[in-house]
Amino acid sequence: MKRTLYTDDHEAFRNSVAAFVEREVVPNLERWDEDRIIDRDVWLAAGKQGLLGLAAPEEYGGAGGDYRFRNVILEEFAKVHATSLASSFSLQDDIAIPYINEIGNDEQKQRWLPRMIAGELIGAIAMTEPGTGSDLQGIKTSARQVEGGWVINGAKTFITNGINSDLVITVAKTDPAGGPRAFTLFVVEREMEGFSRGRKLKKVGLHAQDTAELVYEDVFVPTENVLGEIGGGFGQLKNMLPLERLSIAAHAVAVAEAVLTDTITYTKDRKAFGQRIADFQNTQFELAEMQTIVNVARVYVDQAILAFNAGELTDVDAAQAKWWTSDLQNDVIDRCLQLHGGYGFMLEYPVGRAYQDARIQRIFGGANEVMKLIIGRKIVGRP
């Protein structure tokens, strides 16, 4: 089936991204995994090439918000299995920059967006805390108002870009009484006194992508770093989550397709019992099923991208895309690994690394069980 998502402009952009990947990404993938962190140099190179800030307005150096350009980047990163880098850039482009662009005031946009788009400032968002997981109402990090600003105390965990980040959008409780208006967003900057990094966490996968604990000990945050309205945190988070979940879904389909492509090549080249692996009927059935479900998922995600561009992507649409495609990604990679036999269990083969990296997709951005709850409540009419 002919794909109609892209125009000639998007394909020209793809050529530029592919050249960047070959020059700046592929030579460094193994070293980033070994070092358990991605160099800041690649952020600056991406900014120089115009690969960051695609969701931001052109007046700040962005590309105006057509998500198809972001999807091109996800697809090109997936082809070389640069999953950690894709995750780090997605945090910047699909979460941090959109939050500041959509919620921030003019002064905040002028102060931060140009440097984020240039790759000079790296963003993160700090919601999850020890013991809270997807239950954001359990957040205990507090912010107390003082003259000229707020003092934040608490701890966060599982924070993507946690080590490299310069700006951390932090969710804190500003009303001790609780309730839906209890939380506010603050932009905490790297050098603020009392703000520190805890452990760089060791993970099952995404080894090069830095994930960290953050500690807030009487961190003074000036009033000008409050993002949006006081008490508006939950509403702001809810409004921004569909884009994050679309990003996860788009990445899931891109990775599943890339791993399947590699596997098709492998089964054609590898022989067993006197014939190619691809010549066994079971292999052909497996490939046929996987090719079909990946193609069908891609059609849904393409439509979700167009809906987002049109301002019509709902929280239910995004939840459906996120849980379905992340489950699909894990299933496809598992089946592809099986077709590789023992070699699939070796990390020198991309399918082995993809197997590790994919597992988190069903958890972050809201666990898939939460996605089903969102969808189910909409079906039965519960708030």
Side-chain angles (χ1 to χ4, degrees), residues 149-224:
W150 298 76
V151 173
I152 299 179
N153 281 282
K156 302 289 184 178
T157 193
F158 306 148
I159 306 306
T160 302
N161 291 351
I163 299 297
N164 274 333
S165 56
D166 305 288
L167 306 173
V168 181
I169 300 168
T170 301
V171 185
K173 182 179 285 189
T174 47
D175 182 357
R181 301 282 300 174
F183 299 93
T184 302
L185 306 184
F186 299 87
V187 179
V188 178
E189 301 185 56
R190 173 180 287 276
E191 300 303 328
M192 288 181 170
E193 187 174 352
F195 177 53
S196 62
R197 271 71 173 168
R199 295 178 300 157
K200 182 170 65 173
L201 300 171
K202 295 180 180 179
K203 309 186 296 295
V204 171
L206 294 178
H207 293 149
Q209 183 268 309
D210 57 308
T211 304
E213 299 171 328
L214 303 179
V215 180
Y216 303 78
E217 296 178 315
D218 291 330
V219 180
F220 174 75
V221 180
T223 300
E224 54 265 30

Side-chain angles (χ1 to χ4, degrees), residues 242 246 300 303-318:
L246 173 62
Y300 185 91
Q303 290 302 307
I305 289 170
L306 295 176
F308 175 78
N309 280 351
E312 299 171 354
L313 184 72
T314 68
D315 56 345
V316 172
D317 295 334

Side-chain angles (χ1 to χ4, degrees), residues 2-257:
K2 183 179 180 181
R3 194 179 187 193
T4 59
L5 181 66
Y6 297 120
T7 68
D8 290 344
D9 287 343
H10 299 106
E11 296 303 339
F13 181 69
R14 185 185 300 279
N15 293 334
S16 176
V17 176
F20 172 85
V21 168
E22 188 63 28
R23 183 179 66 253
E24 303 287 349
V25 177
V26 172
N28 295 306
L29 286 174
E30 186 174 344
R31 179 172 57 82
W32 290 338
D33 268 353
E34 291 174 354
D35 293 345
R36 301 290 173 124
I37 200 161
I38 295 168
D39 297 338
R40 294 182 70 101
D41 290 349
V42 74
W43 289 84
L44 296 171
K48 186 175 182 180
Q49 184 121 358
L51 304 189
L52 295 174
L54 300 179
E58 294 179 6
E59 63 188 285
Y60 302 110
D66 180 353
Y67 198 81
R68 290 176 292 182
F69 288 104
R70 275 287 299 133
N71 203 50
V72 167
I73 293 176
L74 290 173
E75 290 175 348
E76 292 305 306
F77 281 12
K79 289 177 183 177
V80 299
H81 306 284
T83 313
S84 292
L85 184 63
S87 177
S88 296
F89 277 17
S90 289
L91 195 290
Q92 180 94 334
D93 256 50
D94 300 329
I95 301 178
I97 287 176
Y99 268 80
I100 291 172
N101 183 52
E102 296 295 328
I103 303 171
N105 57 41
D106 288 342
E107 186 276 331
Q108 290 170 335
K109 294 177 188 178
Q110 291 284 356
R111 183 163 30 132
W112 292 319
L113 286 181
R115 295 186 65 196
M116 294 180 80
I117 293 165
E120 298 170 2
L121 293 178
I122 298 173
I125 185 163
M127 292 187 281
T128 309
E129 297 183 3
T132 64
S134 297
D135 178 19
L136 297 182
Q137 295 191 42
I139 286 174
K140 296 180 180 179
T141 296
S142 64
R144 174 175 54 87
Q145 191 167 19
V146 296
E147 183 178 353
W150 298 76
V151 173
I152 299 179
N153 281 282
K156 302 289 184 178
T157 193
F158 306 148
I159 306 306
T160 302
N161 291 351
I163 299 297
N164 274 333
S165 56
D166 305 288
L167 306 173
V168 181
I169 300 168
T170 301
V171 185
K173 182 179 285 189
T174 47
D175 182 357
R181 301 282 300 174
F183 299 93
T184 302
L185 306 184
F186 299 87
V187 179
V188 178
E189 301 185 56
R190 173 180 287 276
E191 300 303 328
M192 288 181 170
E193 187 174 352
F195 177 53
S196 62
R197 271 71 173 168
R199 295 178 300 157
K200 182 170 65 173
L201 300 171
K202 295 180 180 179
K203 309 186 296 295
V204 171
L206 294 178
H207 293 149
Q209 183 268 309
D210 57 308
T211 304
E213 299 171 328
L214 303 179
V215 180
Y216 303 78
E217 296 178 315
D218 291 330
V219 180
F220 174 75
V221 180
T223 300
E224 54 265 30
N225 279 33
V226 174
L227 193 62
E229 62 176 319
I230 301 298
F234 265 151
Q236 294 158 351
L237 291 170
K238 181 179 179 181
N239 290 337
M240 300 303 293
L241 281 171
L243 174 55
E244 179 181 357
R245 290 165 181 165
L246 173 62
S247 171
I248 293 169
H251 185 225
V253 173
V255 171
E257 189 167 43

